[in-house]
Amino acid sequence: MKRILIVGAGGQIGSELISLLRKLYGNSNVVGADVRECKDLGQDGPFVVLNALDAQSYGYTVNKYRIDTIFNLVALLSAVGEKDPQLAWNINMGALMNSLDVARQYECKLFTPSSIGAFGPQSPKDRTPQDTIMRPTTIYGVCKVTGELLSDYYHLRYGVDTRSVRFPGIISNVTMPGGGTTDYAVEIYYDAVKDKKFVCPVSPNVYMDMMYMPDALNACVQLMEADPARLKHRNGFNITAMSFTPEIIAAEIRKHIPEFEIAYEIDPTKESIARSWPNSLDDTCAREEWGWSPKWTLTDTTEDMLYVIGKKYEQGLF
Ligand code: AKB
């Protein structure tokens, strides 16, 4: 990776990936792109307003900045996708098709995240294997499985260097996630700091895989830098760092804020999505093929999240 374009740079992952990549590869070598103007992202390096569905502008940007690696982070997430499945398909698949075609034309490597949402109710629930039945029941999951297959196809048919991981819920404290089923695992920390209570949209005993942002960012870099000769899989690798329920994360928060309370107001869409997803993934292939090894447990994540969000609260930032 020498000249990198992050499409969807204003989102939860993009807004932090851009800082890491600029540190590693040089500010001027990492171009941020988003459908909205993001003033902060243009301060240290190049930033362009780009609609990933506009193939011509996408190609123009890649050519202009002599890009060799694209991170396509454009996505409508699982819960919001169910409100308008046609829109979710058009955005998720439109951005992916344009990314694949541009990567093919300009000989770029391409990273597009997949998700635990690529699995469905018929997938094995615990330590879900890398290669197993998928059959998701959300439009988001349908897009993710299709995206994995299309990305593998572009690799086989045209030699495009496509790679991806199946991200679990990402816990972070810079940009809020929007419209996902796992968003509660971020919101709970903000509400714990501000109100010492949280109303959770999924049941107390529902397990889902999660990961702290620093591990998610390392996964992006490590996979894209991995020796292709070692990759038996490409799109997408199971990765995980922790698996917990709302009850478990609440208990962890109570170690720091003993008066913290959690109540439940179940959101039927999020609940049924969460129940259709695995409890935990088996990430052996990622460990073997490119050295994946997460660092952050729920205990360290909680300590760090409460510290950082506590500082933001003191500064009146939310
Ligand atoms: C979502 O909840 O939709 C995402 C995901 C797990 O892909 N965070």
Side-chain angles (χ1 to χ4, degrees):
M1 292 197 277
K2 291 198 172 67
R3 305 270 306 165
I4 302 167
L5 176 67
I6 304 176
V7 186
Q12 186 196 11
I13 299 177
S15 60
E16 296 201 49
L17 183 63
I18 196 164
S19 313
L20 176 67
L21 294 181
R22 281 179 174 164
K23 244 182 245 149
L24 295 174
Y25 299 94
N27 285 352
S28 59
N29 293 322
V30 181
V31 181
D34 201 277
V35 70
R36 285 166 293 118
E37 181 63 67
C38 304
K39 291 235 160 52
D40 293 359
L41 305 184
Q43 272 165 12
D44 301 329
F47 176 84
V48 292
V49 174
L50 172 68
N51 180 350
L53 303 184
D54 175 351
Q56 215 177 342
S57 305
Y58 201 155
Y60 172 84
T61 304
V62 167
N63 187 33
K64 176 175 173 195
Y65 290 98
R66 293 173 290 110
I67 297 298
D68 65 29
T69 304
I70 301 169
F71 286 83
N72 163 36
L73 305 181
V74 176
L76 225 65
L77 297 184
S78 56
V80 79
E82 291 309 300
K83 295 204 172 108
D84 190 342
Q86 288 72 21
L87 181 71
W89 174 269
N90 288 342
I91 291 180
N92 296 353
M93 299 316 299
L96 176 62
M97 276 311 290
N98 285 345
S99 301
L100 287 165
D101 284 331
V102 166
R104 178 183 170 207
Q105 186 179 352
Y106 293 99
E107 298 182 5
C108 300
K109 288 163 84 159
L110 175 63
F111 177 94
T112 305
S114 185
S115 160
I116 53 172
F119 293 108
Q122 296 172 55
S123 310
K125 269 274 178 244
D126 296 302
R127 289 191 57 77
T128 309
Q130 173 70 38
D131 301 307
T132 188
I133 189 161
M134 312 286 291
R135 303 202 70 80
T137 48
T138 61
I139 189 65
Y140 177 67
V142 170
C143 292
K144 288 303 180 194
V145 172
T146 313
E148 290 187 12
L149 293 173
L150 259 178
S151 301
D152 275 348
Y153 179 77
Y154 267 64
H155 175 64
L156 286 169
R157 179 83 166 76
Y158 303 118
V160 181
D161 190 345
T162 53
R163 306 181 187 194
S164 77
V165 294
R166 294 177 182 140
F167 273 132
I170 308 293
I171 300 173
S172 68
N173 51 46
V174 174
T175 303
M176 292 301 275
T181 304
T182 58
D183 294 5
Y184 91 84
V186 177
E187 292 157 358
I188 194 169
Y189 289 108
Y190 282 85
D191 286 9
V193 167
K194 189 162 160 271
D195 303 325
K196 313 222 174 325
K197 59 175 192 254
F198 177 63
V199 180
C200 186
V202 298
S203 291
N205 58 353
V206 175
Y207 277 91
M208 283 186 281
D209 268 334
M210 303 280 175
M211 179 177 296
Y212 198 28
M213 184 62 94
D215 277 334
L217 300 181
N218 281 341
C220 296
V221 175
Q222 234 187 318
L223 175 58
M224 293 311 276
E225 289 292 7
D227 176 359
R230 284 183 64 197
L231 301 182
K232 296 195 197 88
H233 296 85
R234 277 182 167 272
N235 302 282
F237 284 93
N238 281 4
I239 57 169
T240 183
M242 55 188 106
S243 167
F244 57 74
T245 64
E247 237 172 11
I248 294 173
I249 189 174
E252 203 60 46
I253 290 173
R254 252 180 239 118
K255 291 181 188 165
H256 303 265
I257 308 174
E259 63 275 40
F260 176 68
E261 281 171 21
I262 186 162
Y264 294 90
E265 252 173 47
I266 303 307
D267 173 324
T269 306
K270 289 188 178 177
E271 176 77 3
S272 86
I273 295 174
R275 288 194 181 279
S276 78
W277 288 355
N279 295 336
S280 63
L281 300 190
D282 176 353
D283 59 5
T284 309
C285 292
R287 289 174 185 268
E288 288 176 359
E289 293 176 39
W290 48 276
W292 162 246
S293 172
K295 306 274 175 301
W296 291 80
T297 63
L298 177 59
T299 303
D300 332 308
T301 301
T302 300
E303 202 177 311
D304 201 55
M305 282 292 281
L306 291 175
Y307 174 77
V308 175
I309 293 168
K311 288 268 166 239
K312 281 175 117 173
Y313 191 58
E314 275 165 32
Q315 290 163 18
L317 293 176
F318 72 97

PDB file of all heavy atoms in Angstrom, residues 96-115:
ATOM      1  N   LEU A  96     -20.043  -1.213  -4.008  1.00  0.00           N
ATOM      2  CA  LEU A  96     -19.117  -2.338  -4.193  1.00  0.00           C
ATOM      3  C   LEU A  96     -18.812  -2.551  -5.686  1.00  0.00           C
ATOM      4  O   LEU A  96     -17.649  -2.709  -6.064  1.00  0.00           O
ATOM      5  CB  LEU A  96     -19.700  -3.636  -3.598  1.00  0.00           C
ATOM      6  CG  LEU A  96     -18.818  -4.853  -3.841  1.00  0.00           C
ATOM      7  CD1 LEU A  96     -17.448  -4.711  -3.179  1.00  0.00           C
ATOM      8  CD2 LEU A  96     -19.501  -6.136  -3.383  1.00  0.00           C
ATOM      9  N   MET A  97     -19.843  -2.564  -6.525  1.00  0.00           N
ATOM     10  CA  MET A  97     -19.601  -2.793  -7.963  1.00  0.00           C
ATOM     11  C   MET A  97     -18.669  -1.735  -8.529  1.00  0.00           C
ATOM     12  O   MET A  97     -17.745  -2.047  -9.286  1.00  0.00           O
ATOM     13  CB  MET A  97     -20.927  -2.772  -8.751  1.00  0.00           C
ATOM     14  CG  MET A  97     -21.689  -4.065  -8.772  1.00  0.00           C
ATOM     15  SD  MET A  97     -20.718  -5.519  -9.207  1.00  0.00           S
ATOM     16  CE  MET A  97     -20.391  -5.265 -10.938  1.00  0.00           C
ATOM     17  N   ASN A  98     -18.912  -0.465  -8.155  1.00  0.00           N
ATOM     18  CA  ASN A  98     -18.032   0.599  -8.656  1.00  0.00           C
ATOM     19  C   ASN A  98     -16.613   0.424  -8.123  1.00  0.00           C
ATOM     20  O   ASN A  98     -15.640   0.633  -8.853  1.00  0.00           O
ATOM     21  CB  ASN A  98     -18.575   1.978  -8.274  1.00  0.00           C
ATOM     22  CG  ASN A  98     -19.769   2.361  -9.141  1.00  0.00           C
ATOM     23  OD1 ASN A  98     -20.005   1.746 -10.184  1.00  0.00           O
ATOM     24  ND2 ASN A  98     -20.514   3.361  -8.714  1.00  0.00           N
ATOM     25  N   SER A  99     -16.494   0.002  -6.860  1.00  0.00           N
ATOM     26  CA  SER A  99     -15.152  -0.202  -6.288  1.00  0.00           C
ATOM     27  C   SER A  99     -14.435  -1.325  -7.031  1.00  0.00           C
ATOM     28  O   SER A  99     -13.238  -1.215  -7.356  1.00  0.00           O
ATOM     29  CB  SER A  99     -15.256  -0.577  -4.802  1.00  0.00           C
ATOM     30  OG  SER A  99     -15.912   0.434  -4.089  1.00  0.00           O
ATOM     31  N   LEU A 100     -15.145  -2.410  -7.296  1.00  0.00           N
ATOM     32  CA  LEU A 100     -14.528  -3.543  -8.006  1.00  0.00           C
ATOM     33  C   LEU A 100     -14.099  -3.129  -9.410  1.00  0.00           C
ATOM     34  O   LEU A 100     -12.983  -3.456  -9.858  1.00  0.00           O
ATOM     35  CB  LEU A 100     -15.515  -4.716  -8.083  1.00  0.00           C
ATOM     36  CG  LEU A 100     -15.754  -5.486  -6.775  1.00  0.00           C
ATOM     37  CD1 LEU A 100     -17.003  -6.363  -6.881  1.00  0.00           C
ATOM     38  CD2 LEU A 100     -14.537  -6.343  -6.415  1.00  0.00           C
ATOM     39  N   ASP A 101     -14.982  -2.405 -10.107  1.00  0.00           N
ATOM     40  CA  ASP A 101     -14.654  -2.027 -11.489  1.00  0.00           C
ATOM     41  C   ASP A 101     -13.497  -1.029 -11.545  1.00  0.00           C
ATOM     42  O   ASP A 101     -12.611  -1.142 -12.403  1.00  0.00           O
ATOM     43  CB  ASP A 101     -15.899  -1.475 -12.197  1.00  0.00           C
ATOM     44  CG  ASP A 101     -16.852  -2.610 -12.574  1.00  0.00           C
ATOM     45  OD1 ASP A 101     -16.369  -3.745 -12.818  1.00  0.00           O
ATOM     46  OD2 ASP A 101     -18.070  -2.377 -12.605  1.00  0.00           O
ATOM     47  N   VAL A 102     -13.499  -0.084 -10.607  1.00  0.00           N
ATOM     48  CA  VAL A 102     -12.406   0.899 -10.579  1.00  0.00           C
ATOM     49  C   VAL A 102     -11.101   0.192 -10.197  1.00  0.00           C
ATOM     50  O   VAL A 102     -10.042   0.449 -10.779  1.00  0.00           O
ATOM     51  CB  VAL A 102     -12.747   2.045  -9.589  1.00  0.00           C
ATOM     52  CG1 VAL A 102     -11.527   2.876  -9.273  1.00  0.00           C
ATOM     53  CG2 VAL A 102     -13.842   2.922 -10.152  1.00  0.00           C
ATOM     54  N   ALA A 103     -11.185  -0.730  -9.222  1.00  0.00           N
ATOM     55  CA  ALA A 103      -9.976  -1.463  -8.795  1.00  0.00           C
ATOM     56  C   ALA A 103      -9.432  -2.273  -9.964  1.00  0.00           C
ATOM     57  O   ALA A 103      -8.217  -2.368 -10.169  1.00  0.00           O
ATOM     58  CB  ALA A 103     -10.301  -2.379  -7.621  1.00  0.00           C
ATOM     59  N   ARG A 104     -10.333  -2.849 -10.740  1.00  0.00           N
ATOM     60  CA  ARG A 104      -9.905  -3.630 -11.908  1.00  0.00           C
ATOM     61  C   ARG A 104      -9.246  -2.719 -12.945  1.00  0.00           C
ATOM     62  O   ARG A 104      -8.153  -3.011 -13.440  1.00  0.00           O
ATOM     63  CB  ARG A 104     -11.139  -4.318 -12.511  1.00  0.00           C
ATOM     64  CG  ARG A 104     -10.832  -5.111 -13.726  1.00  0.00           C
ATOM     65  CD  ARG A 104     -12.094  -5.691 -14.319  1.00  0.00           C
ATOM     66  NE  ARG A 104     -11.804  -6.244 -15.620  1.00  0.00           N
ATOM     67  CZ  ARG A 104     -12.676  -6.364 -16.599  1.00  0.00           C
ATOM     68  NH1 ARG A 104     -13.935  -5.999 -16.418  1.00  0.00           N
ATOM     69  NH2 ARG A 104     -12.322  -6.867 -17.756  1.00  0.00           N
ATOM     70  N   GLN A 105      -9.888  -1.586 -13.225  1.00  0.00           N
ATOM     71  CA  GLN A 105      -9.375  -0.688 -14.269  1.00  0.00           C
ATOM     72  C   GLN A 105      -8.026  -0.080 -13.896  1.00  0.00           C
ATOM     73  O   GLN A 105      -7.132   0.011 -14.738  1.00  0.00           O
ATOM     74  CB  GLN A 105     -10.401   0.425 -14.514  1.00  0.00           C
ATOM     75  CG  GLN A 105     -10.015   1.308 -15.690  1.00  0.00           C
ATOM     76  CD  GLN A 105     -11.050   2.396 -15.955  1.00  0.00           C
ATOM     77  OE1 GLN A 105     -12.133   2.412 -15.347  1.00  0.00           O
ATOM     78  NE2 GLN A 105     -10.722   3.302 -16.849  1.00  0.00           N
ATOM     79  N   TYR A 106      -7.871   0.310 -12.618  1.00  0.00           N
ATOM     80  CA  TYR A 106      -6.639   1.011 -12.221  1.00  0.00           C
ATOM     81  C   TYR A 106      -5.678   0.118 -11.437  1.00  0.00           C
ATOM     82  O   TYR A 106      -4.737   0.606 -10.824  1.00  0.00           O
ATOM     83  CB  TYR A 106      -6.990   2.280 -11.427  1.00  0.00           C
ATOM     84  CG  TYR A 106      -7.686   3.302 -12.301  1.00  0.00           C
ATOM     85  CD1 TYR A 106      -9.072   3.419 -12.279  1.00  0.00           C
ATOM     86  CD2 TYR A 106      -6.973   4.100 -13.183  1.00  0.00           C
ATOM     87  CE1 TYR A 106      -9.731   4.329 -13.099  1.00  0.00           C
ATOM     88  CE2 TYR A 106      -7.618   5.019 -14.008  1.00  0.00           C
ATOM     89  CZ  TYR A 106      -8.995   5.125 -13.960  1.00  0.00           C
ATOM     90  OH  TYR A 106      -9.636   6.030 -14.783  1.00  0.00           O
ATOM     91  N   GLU A 107      -5.935  -1.192 -11.442  1.00  0.00           N
ATOM     92  CA  GLU A 107      -5.065  -2.186 -10.792  1.00  0.00           C
ATOM     93  C   GLU A 107      -4.799  -1.857  -9.323  1.00  0.00           C
ATOM     94  O   GLU A 107      -3.641  -1.756  -8.885  1.00  0.00           O
ATOM     95  CB  GLU A 107      -3.756  -2.338 -11.583  1.00  0.00           C
ATOM     96  CG  GLU A 107      -4.040  -2.845 -12.969  1.00  0.00           C
ATOM     97  CD  GLU A 107      -2.800  -3.066 -13.809  1.00  0.00           C
ATOM     98  OE1 GLU A 107      -1.679  -2.919 -13.276  1.00  0.00           O
ATOM     99  OE2 GLU A 107      -2.965  -3.394 -14.989  1.00  0.00           O
ATOM    100  N   CYS A 108      -5.890  -1.675  -8.593  1.00  0.00           N
ATOM    101  CA  CYS A 108      -5.781  -1.384  -7.151  1.00  0.00           C
ATOM    102  C   CYS A 108      -6.106  -2.635  -6.343  1.00  0.00           C
ATOM    103  O   CYS A 108      -6.876  -3.489  -6.765  1.00  0.00           O
ATOM    104  CB  CYS A 108      -6.803  -0.325  -6.739  1.00  0.00           C
ATOM    105  SG  CYS A 108      -6.614   1.237  -7.590  1.00  0.00           S
ATOM    106  N   LYS A 109      -5.531  -2.700  -5.134  1.00  0.00           N
ATOM    107  CA  LYS A 109      -6.006  -3.663  -4.140  1.00  0.00           C
ATOM    108  C   LYS A 109      -7.296  -3.103  -3.550  1.00  0.00           C
ATOM    109  O   LYS A 109      -7.432  -1.880  -3.450  1.00  0.00           O
ATOM    110  CB  LYS A 109      -4.984  -3.796  -2.999  1.00  0.00           C
ATOM    111  CG  LYS A 109      -3.723  -4.524  -3.395  1.00  0.00           C
ATOM    112  CD  LYS A 109      -2.617  -4.257  -2.403  1.00  0.00           C
ATOM    113  CE  LYS A 109      -2.702  -5.190  -1.223  1.00  0.00           C
ATOM    114  NZ  LYS A 109      -1.386  -5.303  -0.519  1.00  0.00           N
ATOM    115  N   LEU A 110      -8.193  -3.984  -3.138  1.00  0.00           N
ATOM    116  CA  LEU A 110      -9.485  -3.503  -2.616  1.00  0.00           C
ATOM    117  C   LEU A 110      -9.882  -4.236  -1.339  1.00  0.00           C
ATOM    118  O   LEU A 110      -9.914  -5.469  -1.311  1.00  0.00           O
ATOM    119  CB  LEU A 110     -10.583  -3.710  -3.679  1.00  0.00           C
ATOM    120  CG  LEU A 110     -12.012  -3.378  -3.253  1.00  0.00           C
ATOM    121  CD1 LEU A 110     -12.185  -1.906  -2.905  1.00  0.00           C
ATOM    122  CD2 LEU A 110     -13.000  -3.780  -4.365  1.00  0.00           C
ATOM    123  N   PHE A 111     -10.166  -3.451  -0.295  1.00  0.00           N
ATOM    124  CA  PHE A 111     -10.701  -3.987   0.956  1.00  0.00           C
ATOM    125  C   PHE A 111     -12.146  -3.526   1.098  1.00  0.00           C
ATOM    126  O   PHE A 111     -12.430  -2.326   1.022  1.00  0.00           O
ATOM    127  CB  PHE A 111      -9.883  -3.439   2.141  1.00  0.00           C
ATOM    128  CG  PHE A 111     -10.394  -3.883   3.504  1.00  0.00           C
ATOM    129  CD1 PHE A 111      -9.860  -5.000   4.127  1.00  0.00           C
ATOM    130  CD2 PHE A 111     -11.400  -3.169   4.160  1.00  0.00           C
ATOM    131  CE1 PHE A 111     -10.320  -5.411   5.384  1.00  0.00           C
ATOM    132  CE2 PHE A 111     -11.857  -3.575   5.418  1.00  0.00           C
ATOM    133  CZ  PHE A 111     -11.313  -4.695   6.027  1.00  0.00           C
ATOM    134  N   THR A 112     -13.065  -4.486   1.326  1.00  0.00           N
ATOM    135  CA  THR A 112     -14.471  -4.150   1.609  1.00  0.00           C
ATOM    136  C   THR A 112     -14.891  -4.977   2.810  1.00  0.00           C
ATOM    137  O   THR A 112     -14.823  -6.210   2.741  1.00  0.00           O
ATOM    138  CB  THR A 112     -15.381  -4.509   0.409  1.00  0.00           C
ATOM    139  OG1 THR A 112     -14.881  -3.864  -0.761  1.00  0.00           O
ATOM    140  CG2 THR A 112     -16.820  -4.079   0.655  1.00  0.00           C
ATOM    141  N   PRO A 113     -15.310  -4.359   3.902  1.00  0.00           N
ATOM    142  CA  PRO A 113     -15.666  -5.175   5.060  1.00  0.00           C
ATOM    143  C   PRO A 113     -16.880  -6.042   4.804  1.00  0.00           C
ATOM    144  O   PRO A 113     -17.858  -5.591   4.211  1.00  0.00           O
ATOM    145  CB  PRO A 113     -16.016  -4.146   6.141  1.00  0.00           C
ATOM    146  CG  PRO A 113     -15.684  -2.818   5.596  1.00  0.00           C
ATOM    147  CD  PRO A 113     -15.509  -2.930   4.125  1.00  0.00           C
ATOM    148  N   SER A 114     -16.795  -7.312   5.255  1.00  0.00           N
ATOM    149  CA  SER A 114     -18.006  -8.115   5.395  1.00  0.00           C
ATOM    150  C   SER A 114     -18.368  -8.059   6.880  1.00  0.00           C
ATOM    151  O   SER A 114     -17.884  -7.174   7.600  1.00  0.00           O
ATOM    152  CB  SER A 114     -17.775  -9.536   4.906  1.00  0.00           C
ATOM    153  OG  SER A 114     -19.016 -10.241   4.952  1.00  0.00           O
ATOM    154  N   SER A 115     -19.198  -8.963   7.352  1.00  0.00           N
ATOM    155  CA  SER A 115     -19.759  -8.800   8.703  1.00  0.00           C
ATOM    156  C   SER A 115     -20.242 -10.140   9.245  1.00  0.00           C
ATOM    157  O   SER A 115     -20.533 -11.067   8.472  1.00  0.00           O
ATOM    158  CB  SER A 115     -20.940  -7.831   8.593  1.00  0.00           C
ATOM    159  OG  SER A 115     -21.811  -7.949   9.680  1.00  0.00           O
TER     160      SER A 115
END
